[in-house]
Amino acid sequence: MRQFIIYLLMVSFITTTSAFNVLVMNTCLQMFKMYLVYNTDVQFCVNALNSDPRSSNATNRHQLAEISFEMDISKAKSIPIIIDNLLKNTTQEKSLDDCKAMYSFAVVELTAGLEALKAKNYERAIVFADSAVQRAKICQLGLRKHMNMTGVSSLARGNTYFMHLASISASFHFPHN
């Protein structure tokens, strides 16, 4: 039954995705079946990876993983800009400052994860990506008490997106050689 559902999902994606990438689809399906965590679904994985034009030229999972990490780093760098804009308009800075610190650490960890990935130290790379996801979760917890504050819901959406995006990087699996 599960294989049939996966088959239907693949057919659905093929018909709705104009730039269908078999490598992206197969990678996301495998991650979903075996490793993908944090409630990220196959369609999010496919859409996120296909949103980067470099994915269409990727020929293997390692290249897709590098693209994924680079997307994470870019998103992790953009969120503190949103936080800085919110800090200009509030006196409730503690949760926002904490969130900004979490993203500073996430950028460092994801950069180290990308370097580990390039060195083919896959376990280390995944640990760094997972740590970035955990930092986003911590940020989200701090934001919950300020959801009525103007702009925080936008930050929370960006944070949730990052959490799902980084979970893709944390879900790559490379067989041992």
Side-chain angles (χ1 to χ4, degrees):
M1 179 69 174
R2 183 177 172 125
Q3 290 175 335
F4 180 71
I5 292 171
I6 291 172
Y7 173 76
L8 287 176
L9 285 171
M10 286 178 56
V11 170
S12 171
F13 288 133
I14 289 170
T15 59
T16 59
T17 306
S18 58
F20 180 71
N21 183 321
V22 174
L23 177 63
V24 169
M25 175 56 81
N26 289 340
T27 300
C28 290
L29 281 171
Q30 184 176 21
M31 287 190 303
F32 180 73
K33 286 184 353 188
M34 300 174 69
Y35 305 102
L36 203 59
V37 291
Y38 310 116
N39 298 319
T40 301
D41 62 24
V42 176
Q43 185 165 3
F44 178 88
C45 178
V46 170
N47 290 343
L49 290 175
N50 277 332
S51 72
D52 190 304
R54 297 173 295 170
S55 293
S56 63
N57 296 323
T59 58
N60 59 53
R61 295 165 66 79
H62 186 91
Q63 290 172 345
L64 278 181
E66 285 187 21
I67 292 166
S68 181
F69 269 85
E70 289 167 357
M71 291 171 65
D72 297 343
I73 292 166
S74 177
K75 185 66 176 173
K77 287 179 177 179
S78 73
I79 289 180
I81 295 167
I82 297 169
I83 295 170
D84 285 340
N85 288 332
L86 288 173
L87 285 170
K88 292 176 186 174
N89 301 318
T90 184
T91 58
Q92 300 174 336
E93 297 176 6
K94 179 72 173 121
S95 294
L96 295 176
D97 283 336
D98 291 347
C99 201
K100 187 174 177 180
M102 290 293 113
Y103 274 95
S104 294
F105 289 125
V107 169
V108 170
E109 289 168 335
L110 288 165
T111 302
L114 179 59
E115 292 306 312
L117 182 67
K118 289 178 180 179
K120 296 186 179 0
N121 187 342
Y122 302 119
E123 291 83 9
R124 187 170 172 84
I126 289 167
V127 167
F128 280 122
D130 186 60
S131 181
V133 173
Q134 298 307 319
R135 292 189 185 281
K137 282 182 160 185
I138 292 167
C139 177
Q140 197 78 356
L141 289 172
L143 293 176
R144 284 187 181 161
K145 59 185 166 187
H146 300 296
M147 289 306 286
N148 62 340
M149 193 171 83
T150 303
V152 170
S153 62
S154 173
L155 173 58
R157 281 191 302 278
N159 186 67
T160 299
Y161 180 85
F162 171 79
M163 198 177 343
H164 291 295
L165 190 63
S167 75
I168 295 170
S169 296
S171 299
F172 272 90
H173 173 73
F174 298 92
H176 298 288
N177 294 333

